[in-house]
Structure formats: C-alpha cells, structure tokens
Amino acid sequence: VFGGTGFVGTHVLKALSARSVPAVALSRSGVCPQHLQGESWAEGIEWRKGDAVQPGEAREGLEGCSAVVISIGSPPIPGDKAYQLQMNGESNANIIAAAKELGVPRVVLVNATMPQWTPPGYREGKIMAEQAAQRFVEHAEPSGSTGAVVLKPGAIYGTRHANGVPIPLAPILAPVSWLLKADPGLAPALSKALPSVFDGLLVPPASVECVAAAAVDGATLEKFAGQVTVVSADELARYPLS
C-alpha cells in the first residue's frame, strides 16, 4: 500500500489485516503512525520507507507483491501546479509503471471525483493517474490476469490524524452523504442547471471504511482480473463492508 501512513492507506491496511492478507505499507517516513502504535493489527504490517516520486524506490517497494494499492497525493487546494501534478499524477504513474515492469498483476488506484473548477494541477494529475491505470490493462496480455480498479470517491469522511491529533469528519460529512443518497434526484438536477459549478461536486461522501473495503476487494478478488473497473463515488458511498 503506497501512502500506507495516510488517512485512507491506514484503513486499507487495517482491512487487509482483518482478512489475514499480508501487507506492506510504503511511505516517505517508513514508520508506523503514532496513533496506531500499540494496535495489534498494525504490529503485523511491514512498514517500509519508499518515495513514489523516485521510480527506483517504487520498483523496490513492489518486488514480490501480488497487488498494489495507491493512495497518495496532495489535497485539492490552490498551490503550485507542478507540485500537484507530480504528487497526484507522476508519482502514481511511476508506481503503475513499476508494477507493469515487475509483473504485478493488480493495481488499485484511489483517485477522485471532482468538479470542473478543481485546481488544474490536482485535476490533471488525477486524470494522468487514471490514464496510467487504463494503459496498465490495455497493454497487458488479453487472456492474462492483469487488472486495474480505479476508485473515484468524492469527499471521504472518518477520523483523520494530524500530528497525532484526531480530526473527526463524520459529524459534518456523514449527514451530507445521507441527504444525497436519500434524494438521488437532487444532485443531477443541480448539476444540469449549473454544470460548471455542481457537476462532480454533489456526490455523496463515502466513509473511509467503505473506500478501504472497495480497495481490498479490488486487490484480492478474481472478478477484477482482465479488465479496468471504475467504482463511482455513488457506489463507494454505498459499498458493503462485508
């Protein structure tokens, strides 16, 4: 799991551990996050240092793996375009290229659903990453087991940790998710009226547990072999946990 110390990455690792799937967490720090130290499941994870911006380190991290989950990137806030493109696009593409080179058969990409007015570096980076996942399968043997799963959530809620401090997002985003799921006609109507504002924005937020469950399924289930599967924000918001 690249980005294994992040918000989504740690939950993917926890879900893999719950299914008794051996897992490696790769991050720039290479150490277990402070808030997970002492957790029994975290003790069974191999925490490794790896920088996806460096192609050589991406290859080293993938040796011997049967699947890779990519959950890295910078947030969609205005900033340096080149940096956002590197973090959301080039780094993801480096990992996918390394997976192809080493014969890793499965790629799961945590991507995003986003409005048209998202900062260009973020948006172009996410598009670049998804295109790399598409090519990963298109250039594979037709009868092979190579597969890519692209998860496209909108907002993701749960409890984030910043420097060990918990930041609960569910009290704000969970009600929004419930509202958009309860009235499925609301978002399409607003998007049709003002697509430049609402298209890609009014999608139900997904819990981090749902996103993690989808990532683990994508990495382990045979039904995702031989194809590119895109899981939408709406599907992720309703994704079963068992």
Side-chain angles (χ1 to χ4, degrees), residues 9 28 41 44 74 93-94 104 111-112 114 121 156 163 180 200 213 217 223:
R28 287 178 169 176
W41 68 265
S74 62
N94 283 343
V104 177
N111 203 265
M114 52 203 156
I156 302 175
N163 298 319
L180 290 173
D217 282 350
K223 70 178 183 178

Side-chain angles (χ1 to χ4, degrees), residues 10-214:
T10 53
H11 282 82
V12 172
L13 290 164
K14 184 176 182 180
L16 286 166
S17 177
R19 299 194 199 182
S20 301
V21 178
V24 176
L26 291 121
S27 65
R28 287 178 169 176
S29 70
V31 298
C32 176
Q34 180 182 356
H35 69 279
L36 296 179
Q37 292 175 10
E39 294 276 352
S40 58
W41 68 265
E43 294 173 358
I45 301 298
E46 183 179 348
W47 303 90
R48 276 193 216 164
K49 192 172 184 178
D51 187 352
V53 173
Q54 307 298 327
E57 292 191 25
R59 284 192 295 273
E60 289 177 11
L62 288 172
E63 290 181 359
C65 292
S66 60
V68 57
V69 177
I70 305 168
S71 179
I72 57 176
S74 62
I77 56 177
D80 184 83
K81 180 180 179 180
Y83 175 77
Q84 289 189 330
L85 191 61
Q86 181 186 63
M87 296 307 298
N88 295 291
E90 294 167 7
S91 57
N92 290 251
N94 283 343
I95 299 168
I96 295 170
K100 181 70 174 176
E101 181 181 332
L102 294 172
V104 177
R106 191 73 56 82
V107 164
V108 179
L109 175 67
V110 182
N111 203 265
T113 294
M114 52 203 156
Q116 298 176 20
W117 42 264
T118 303
Y122 179 88
R123 183 177 183 83
E124 291 172 22
K126 291 298 185 183
I127 292 171
M128 178 191 296
E130 184 170 358
Q131 289 173 341
Q134 294 277 353
R135 290 193 301 270
F136 177 75
V137 176
E138 290 171 0
H139 296 167
E141 293 293 330
S143 59
S145 59
T146 300
V149 179
V150 181
L151 310 182
K152 303 194 70 171
I156 302 175
Y157 64 87
T159 300
R160 290 179 178 267
H161 288 81
N163 298 319
V165 178
I167 305 173
L169 303 177
I172 298 172
L173 293 177
V176 175
S177 180
W178 180 87
L179 175 64
L180 290 173
K181 288 185 290 186
D183 187 355
L186 175 62
L190 290 172
S191 295
K192 184 177 180 180
L194 286 171
S196 62
V197 176
F198 293 118
D199 191 33
L201 175 66
L202 293 178
V203 295
S207 74
V208 68
E209 290 84 3
C210 287
V211 176

